[in-house]
Amino acid sequence: MKKFGLLLAGGIAAFVLLKTIGPMIGLLISLVILYFIYKQFLKTESIGWKIGLIIICLIVLSATIHHIPALIGVGAAYVLFLVYKQWNKNKKPPVNKESDPFANFDKQWNELKK
């Protein structure tokens, strides 16, 4: 039953991720453009060019705000990662031979018999 739940959650997360891949790319591009505008704004000394960069920044910022639903896709990618991690998790850790009480008992019993 647990595998079915993981499969269902993974399927829904994969579907949401595929539906929001376009806005995620748009958000990434607009954030990169905003980063380069910010770096250029810090370098320039001209007041006119700073005002122009602020205007360009506001235009690109409005495009960035338009792509905010892409954060749902980022959340879906994280859920898909968690499902993948849970799917591959072993249910029981391997039994260490030194920590097995029956193996230690047999070993000690054989030593006492000698």
Side-chain angles (χ1 to χ4, degrees):
M1 189 69 177
K2 185 176 180 182
K3 293 281 186 178
F4 177 73
L6 287 174
L7 185 66
L8 184 65
I12 292 171
F15 181 72
V16 170
L17 181 64
L18 287 175
K19 291 293 277 185
T20 58
I21 200 86
M24 286 173 62
I25 292 171
L27 180 67
L28 180 68
I29 291 171
S30 60
L31 287 175
V32 168
I33 292 172
L34 278 174
Y35 173 74
F36 285 122
I37 290 173
Y38 174 73
K39 294 297 275 185
Q40 188 66 32
F41 181 81
L42 292 178
K43 282 192 229 177
T44 189
E45 295 179 11
S46 169
I47 299 293
W49 183 235
K50 281 190 178 192
I51 292 172
L53 284 174
I54 289 173
I55 292 170
I56 294 171
C57 179
L58 290 175
I59 293 169
V60 174
L61 188 63
S62 69
T64 305
I65 292 171
H66 176 72
H67 290 106
I68 288 298
L71 295 178
I72 295 171
V74 173
Y78 181 69
V79 168
L80 201 58
F81 171 72
L82 290 178
V83 167
Y84 175 74
K85 207 160 96 173
Q86 285 292 328
W87 189 278
N88 291 332
K89 189 186 222 184
N90 289 337
K91 293 187 186 235
K92 296 180 188 175
V95 177
N96 192 358
K97 291 188 179 183
E98 277 83 31
S99 67
D100 187 16
F102 297 112
N104 285 336
F105 176 77
D106 289 339
K107 184 173 130 185
Q108 288 176 355
W109 183 255
N110 289 333
E111 287 177 5
L112 285 175
K113 281 182 155 180
K114 290 183 182 181

